[in-house]
RNA sequence: GCCACCUUAGCUCAGCUGGUUAGAGCAGCUGUUUUGUAAACAGCAGGUCGUCGGUUCGAAUCCGACAGGUGGCUCCA
């Protein structure tokens, strides 16, 4: 959800309100559980949270049932309208304060802060740092500030509002377990998250958006619209696609395949299992070895694995022939399923699965071809997301200073610059982020905004100087020398499963004609032989036009059959009885989101079918009927 | 993998603090009805209450393990 306020802007009044609410919540929790140890309590998009540990023994936990209690305490603090008093202490005295008040987490933060410029900058993100002091991480901290609301004192940079009465509207949302400072070998605390806005009305709007998101949850719609299922017998993270869901998958991947075919991509096919040696060579084994599915062979002693990505396979095809500079670029694409042994807690619906289908592609090209190739891929991405009606912006994902990356720094710098130039040349809205790169190269990650304002990571274009080197790929240049090609990885949909989760929620299951599993439903008024014959004839015409039309000839009232069609969110419904048989015309019932005019009008049956077929071909979102 | 919560019919949900044959609506099936733009009527069938183990005279209900799911954390080639 787009947020008008900047959570990092300390001058923002809403920011101060949210910060103050975190403080007030801490006050309330301290009152209810006096032994509580506090972690950090920053402002986040749409609200605030506080990480707490309500007792040492770990045998007591805050649950959602406690929210009413906490909120009541908070309201009491707010009703008192006590001023927030700010004070400052030298850092060493602050550490003593933390010790005396048995606040080991605060003590740890203060000690890190004291060594500012060393560990703080690295381990603490700006937000967490911001909750305790005003240091920027690079300078030595001398004083830290405290805020007091009545009895409760909290170490905090602020700013806070003047008094506890001026905090706007809030609601506690959820509680979840978190690792102290995000490290999984640290103790676990509880994070209480609240939503907060300047007015009750704005809070209401936000809560309504969450309601709407719940209604269009792809797991719910996947069930209701019969798109995919899971089976305990098959396993977690392994979705099974029904006929309807499979149509959507195929339409999407055909689209991105055709688009790339126009830019010279050729389809290839590679097996789903391989010797693990392939990934030893690529570098993936060292980094992701424990997330591969192992396959035991009863015939050979080879250690086999399910493929977790396709790039190493594609390098084998490239390498199978000598390549000339004239052959470049070589462009392969393959829409195929890869397998990753994701941890159980990371799975969810179609968003994160263990069998991931990628519309994967790899370009092998010369240095001087990079720009054109990237431009082509950016054009494809633009066309795809324009067609599905999602706004795009891109993240330039760079490496950071850690040692998890392969290849020389100069190559990285060059690659990062080239990606940025391509993005600027294509006038894409972008932002840059360090630490988001793949281990073999920087990426352009596409973020799409859906119909209710949420942003999702989808397509990706990645530059790779490392794998061609490791696999010893080459081509013969004009002067007869051997040169190493550059690899460009790209997936336009990304993971089809993940894309579908986004797409289902974006459309709320109201698929446009081109992806709709069922495009037209024909409802018969009765089961007389003439009606059935007419329905069959229309059905045949539709089939010849490549349309997905189904006939509902069941012995039910027309009203009931209309309702069933509406519930399945089918784009067009036509009712067929004596009138239609006599006139040869139908009155299409158009799904509301697609209609451009209010009143329906009669149209010749053949013209209707042809119009719908053209709409499917053009992949339009609105009807021309 | 870690923390918390959840799992009753194909779906959505009742079933109070353990007590005789576990209920409803929708969907399904069978009749009747031949229907005109969001639900015709009647009947039938459908559950070893996620699985396994324990406590108890007695478990859908209490305890434990496992599986699956949800919300977080961590991770994401």
């Amino acid at each position: 959800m787009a947020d008008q306020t900047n959570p990092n802007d300390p001058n923002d009044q809403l920011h101060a309100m949210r910060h103050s609410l975190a403080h007030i919540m801490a006050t309330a929790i301290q009152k209810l559980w006096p032994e509580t140890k506090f972690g950090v309590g920053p402002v986040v998009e749409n609200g605030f949270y506080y990480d707490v540990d309500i007792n040492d023994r770990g045998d007591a936990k805050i649950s959602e049932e406690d929210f009413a209690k906490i909120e009541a305490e908070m309201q009491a603090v707010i009703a008192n309208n006590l001023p927030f008093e700010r004070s400052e202490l030298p850092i060493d005295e602050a550490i003593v304060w933390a010790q005396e008040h048995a606040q080991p987490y605060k003590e740890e933060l203060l000690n890190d802060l004291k060594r500012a410029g060393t560990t703080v900058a690295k381990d603490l993100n700006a937000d967490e740092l911001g909750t305790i002091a005003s240091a920027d991480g690079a300078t030595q901290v001398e004083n830290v500030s405290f805020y007091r609301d009545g009895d409760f004192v909290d170490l905090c940079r602020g700013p806070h509002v003047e008094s506890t009465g001026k905090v706007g509207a809030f609601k506690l949302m959820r509680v979840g377990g978190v690792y102290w400072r995000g490290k999984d070998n640290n103790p676990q605390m509880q994070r209480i998250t609240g939503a907060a806005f300047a007015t009750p009305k704005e809070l209401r709007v936000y809560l309504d958006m969450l309601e709407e998101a719940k209604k269009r949850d792809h797991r719910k719609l996947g069930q209701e619209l019969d798109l995919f299922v899971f089976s305990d017998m098959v396993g977690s993270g392994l979705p099974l696609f029904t006929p309807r869901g499979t149509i959507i998958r195929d339409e999407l991947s055909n689209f991105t395949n055709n688009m790339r075919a126009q830019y010279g991509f050729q389809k290839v096919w590679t097996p789903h299992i391989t010797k693990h040696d392939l990934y030893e060579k690529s570098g993936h084994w060292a980094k992701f070895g424990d997330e591969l599915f192992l396959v035991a062979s009863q015939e050979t002693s080879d250690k086999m694995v399910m493929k977790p990505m396709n790039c190493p396979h594609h390098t084998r095809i490239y390498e199978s022939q000598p390549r000339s500079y004239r052959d470049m670029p070589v462009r392969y694409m393959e829409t195929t399923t890869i397998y990753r042994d994701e941890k159980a807690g990371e799975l969810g619906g179609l968003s994160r699965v263990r069998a991931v289908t990628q519309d994967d592609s790899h370009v092998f090209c010369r240095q001087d071809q990079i720009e054109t190739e990237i431009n082509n891929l950016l054009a494809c991405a633009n066309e795809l997301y324009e067609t599905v009606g999602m706004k795009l912006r891109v993240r330039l994902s760079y490496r950071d200073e850690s040692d998890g990356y392969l290849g020389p720094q100069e190559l990285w710098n060059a690659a990062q610059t080239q990606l940025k130039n391509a993005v600027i040349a294509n006038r894409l809205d972008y932002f840059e982020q360090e630490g988001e790169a793949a281990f073999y190269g920087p990426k352009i990650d596409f973020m799409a905004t859906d119909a209710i304002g949420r942003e999702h990571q989808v397509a990706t274009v990645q530059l790779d100087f490392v794998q061609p080197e490791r696999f010893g790929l080459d081509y013969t240049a004009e002067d007869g020398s051997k040169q190493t090609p550059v690899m460009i990885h790209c997936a336009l949909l990304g993971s089809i499963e993940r894309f579908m989760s986004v797409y289902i929620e974006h459309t709320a299951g109201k698929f446009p004609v081109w992806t709709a599993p069922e495009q037209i439903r024909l409802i018969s008024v009765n089961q007389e032989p003439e009606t059935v014959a007419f329905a069959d004839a229309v059905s045949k015409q539709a089939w010849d036009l490549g349309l997905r039309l189904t006939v509902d000839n069941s012995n039910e009232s027309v009203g009931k059959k209309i309702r069933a069609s509406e519930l399945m969110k089918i784009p067009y419904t036509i009712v067929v009885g004596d009138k239609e048989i006599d006139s040869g015309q139908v009155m299409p019932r158009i799904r509301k989101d697609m209609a451009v005019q209010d009143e329906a009008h009669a149209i010749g049956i053949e013209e209707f079918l042809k119009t719908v077929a053209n709409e499917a071909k053009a992949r339009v979102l609105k009807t021309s009927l």
Side-chain angles (χ1 to χ4, degrees):
Chain A
M1 177 96 183
D3 194 335
Q4 296 306 306
T5 63
N6 175 2
N8 295 317
D9 179 358
N11 299 319
D12 194 299
Q13 181 66 12
L14 182 57
H15 181 274
M17 282 181 178
R18 287 171 173 167
H19 224 129
S20 305
L21 278 164
H23 184 122
I24 292 169
M25 182 167 75
T27 307
I29 290 171
Q30 163 88 5
K31 197 169 259 176
L32 293 164
W33 295 276
E35 288 177 52
T36 303
K37 316 277 179 281
F38 292 94
V40 292
V43 173
V44 291
E45 193 178 16
N46 302 317
F48 60 92
Y49 69 76
Y50 221 118
D51 287 350
V52 302
D53 180 0
I54 62 170
N55 76 4
D56 290 333
R57 301 172 298 278
D59 56 2
K61 289 267 154 67
I62 293 175
S63 76
E64 287 193 24
E65 277 105 75
D66 298 318
F67 283 2
K69 219 161 52 179
I70 299 170
E71 283 178 344
E73 282 295 338
M74 289 175 72
Q75 291 299 354
V77 175
I78 290 166
N80 284 339
N81 198 16
L82 294 166
F84 277 109
E85 291 167 20
R86 185 174 191 279
S87 59
E88 284 194 10
L89 270 187
I91 187 120
D92 288 317
E93 288 179 38
I95 291 169
V96 172
W97 170 89
Q99 287 166 345
E100 282 172 354
H101 287 79
Q103 290 296 338
Y105 300 111
K106 295 288 189 196
E107 189 186 333
E108 186 182 326
L109 291 174
L110 285 164
N111 276 313
D112 281 353
L113 207 58
K114 197 180 163 187
R115 295 193 302 270
T118 56
T119 58
V120 172
K122 224 170 173 177
D123 295 351
L124 274 180
N125 68 46
D127 230 13
E128 290 172 338
L129 190 65
T131 63
I132 57 168
S134 52
D136 60 9
T139 50
Q140 194 74 32
V141 175
E142 278 162 16
N143 289 312
V144 291
S145 58
F146 288 80
Y147 280 86
R148 170 193 294 275
D149 61 345
D151 302 332
F152 185 72
V153 181
D154 195 17
L155 173 68
C156 183
R157 177 195 58 175
H160 283 6
V161 292
E162 298 150 43
S163 63
T164 59
K166 303 189 171 166
V167 289
F170 75 96
K171 182 176 193 295
L172 299 189
M173 301 300 289
R174 66 185 87 89
V175 53
V178 296
Y179 299 111
W180 167 235
R181 300 178 81 170
K183 298 221 170 58
D184 56 12
N185 46 356
N186 279 347
Q188 273 212 324
M189 307 181 71
Q190 288 188 287
R191 175 168 300 173
I192 320 293
T193 305
F197 291 88
T199 63
K201 199 178 160 193
E202 286 168 81
L203 177 64
R204 189 71 253 157
V205 168
Y206 173 68
L207 295 176
D208 286 348
M209 190 281 288
L210 292 183
E211 251 338 277
E212 177 58 32
K214 220 170 177 178
K215 269 188 232 158
R216 48 173 81 203
D217 187 309
H218 76 275
R219 291 166 295 206
K220 181 171 175 283
L221 289 172
Q223 160 100 268
E224 289 171 3
L225 303 179
D226 187 24
L227 303 175
F228 57 89
V229 296
F230 287 90
S231 159
D232 284 7
M233 251 187 264
V234 174
S236 188
L238 300 169
L240 310 172
F241 286 82
T242 62
R244 302 177 92 88
T246 304
I247 288 169
I248 299 173
R249 286 173 67 98
D250 287 352
E251 287 291 346
L252 291 169
S253 64
N254 286 342
F255 184 33
T256 63
N257 285 350
N258 291 342
M259 222 159 25
R260 281 178 297 185
Q262 286 170 21
Y263 285 108
F265 282 83
Q266 298 173 290
K267 265 192 187 172
V268 295
W269 186 89
T270 63
H272 288 216
I273 61 172
T274 174
K275 295 203 286 189
H276 91 291
D277 309 38
L278 185 65
Y279 301 119
E280 289 265 28
K281 190 82 177 172
S282 69
H284 289 99
W285 184 260
K287 196 159 162 71
F288 299 107
D290 54 348
E291 285 169 56
L292 299 200
F293 282 107
L294 305 178
V295 180
S297 169
Q298 302 187 64
E299 293 296 330
T300 76
S301 56
D302 292 331
K303 195 177 193 176
M304 308 294 285
V305 298
M306 301 296 292
K307 66 174 174 184
M309 88 286 303
N310 307 300
C311 24
H313 290 84
H314 291 182
T315 68
R316 302 300 77 211
I317 302 176
Y318 175 88
E319 192 256 87
S320 64
Q321 288 183 26
R323 305 286 176 181
S324 147
Y325 70 97
R326 288 185 235 268
D327 300 331
M328 311 296 271
V330 172
R331 306 181 188 91
Y332 298 142
M333 63 173 168
E334 180 176 16
T335 295
T336 184
T337 307
I338 58 175
Y339 303 86
R340 296 177 180 179
D341 199 358
E342 305 282 4
K343 298 194 170 45
E346 292 160 352
L347 302 169
L350 292 183
S351 312
R352 190 83 178 266
V353 291
R354 287 183 162 136
V356 185
T357 310
Q358 293 180 326
D359 60 332
D360 208 359
S361 62
H362 295 99
V363 178
F364 300 85
C365 69
R366 307 190 304 251
Q367 288 274 352
D368 62 294
Q369 294 171 320
I370 294 176
E371 198 182 324
T372 312
E373 291 305 308
I374 289 183
N375 282 343
N376 292 348
L377 293 168
L378 294 182
C380 289
N382 271 331
E383 187 182 343
L384 169 62
Y385 289 93
E386 195 176 316
T387 304
V388 297
M390 284 188 241
K391 218 175 127 192
L392 270 189
R393 66 175 184 144
V394 303
R395 177 179 69 205
L396 286 162
S397 302
Y398 301 149
R399 64 175 293 172
D400 57 22
E401 294 311 308
S402 69
D403 52 9
Y405 303 98
L406 301 180
Q409 183 77 51
E410 312 84 71
L411 275 182
W412 276 84
N413 294 342
Q416 291 180 178
T417 307
Q418 291 188 70
L419 288 184
K420 186 171 176 177
N421 290 343
V423 162
I424 291 170
N426 282 275
R427 293 200 198 85
L428 285 161
D429 184 10
Y430 73 95
F431 65 102
E432 296 162 282
Q433 201 160 328
E434 290 189 354
E436 289 289 336
F439 74 83
Y440 49 70
K443 306 190 282 182
I444 303 175
D445 287 315
F446 290 77
M447 326 286 291
T449 302
D450 72 16
I452 55 173
R454 297 169 302 176
E455 205 170 48
H456 308 269
Q457 193 185 322
V458 282
T460 177
V461 174
Q462 311 177 357
L463 215 42
D464 181 358
F465 296 107
V466 172
Q467 290 195 65
E469 192 74 48
R470 291 178 77 99
F471 280 107
L473 306 184
D474 62 25
Y475 65 91
T476 308
E478 224 170 336
D479 62 2
S481 65
K482 293 284 183 209
Q483 298 291 329
T484 306
V486 178
M487 255 176 112
I488 303 169
H489 309 244
C490 173
L492 292 169
L493 296 165
S495 142
I496 293 190
E497 289 76 17
R498 197 185 135 66
F499 183 88
M500 274 184 70
S501 76
V502 172
Y503 188 57
I504 291 167
E505 298 189 6
H506 170 63
T507 58
K510 294 172 191 152
F511 303 111
V513 185
W514 73 281
T515 50
E518 195 179 332
Q519 296 164 322
I520 303 170
R521 182 168 294 188
L522 186 156
I523 289 172
S524 62
V525 172
N526 56 45
Q527 282 78 49
E528 302 301 332
E530 308 83 73
T531 314
V532 174
F534 187 77
D536 285 347
V538 173
S539 183
K540 167 86 171 52
Q541 275 183 352
W543 171 264
D544 290 343
L545 288 165
L547 287 169
R548 298 184 286 265
L549 176 146
T550 56
V551 175
D552 184 351
N553 191 33
S554 59
N555 181 6
E556 297 288 353
S557 68
V558 169
K560 186 165 180 173
K561 292 198 273 191
I562 293 275
R563 180 178 151 80
S565 183
E566 287 281 347
L567 290 175
M568 290 305 276
K569 306 184 200 286
I570 293 161
Y572 299 103
T573 306
I574 52 175
V575 177
V576 165
D578 291 342
K579 274 194 299 197
E580 287 74 19
I581 297 171
D582 292 343
S583 68
Q585 294 204 312
V586 288
M587 186 87 80
R589 191 184 162 99
I590 301 164
R591 202 180 58 209
K592 283 190 203 71
D593 63 290
M594 303 194 334
V596 285
Q597 54 200 47
D598 289 340
E599 66 261 36
H601 61 278
I603 180 172
I605 182 78
E606 197 173 334
E607 193 191 342
F608 165 69
L609 295 177
K610 280 185 175 157
T611 304
V612 177
N614 285 332
E615 288 176 359
K617 205 174 159 204
R619 300 191 174 90
V620 294
L621 301 179
K622 294 278 178 187
T623 183
S624 49
L625 287 171

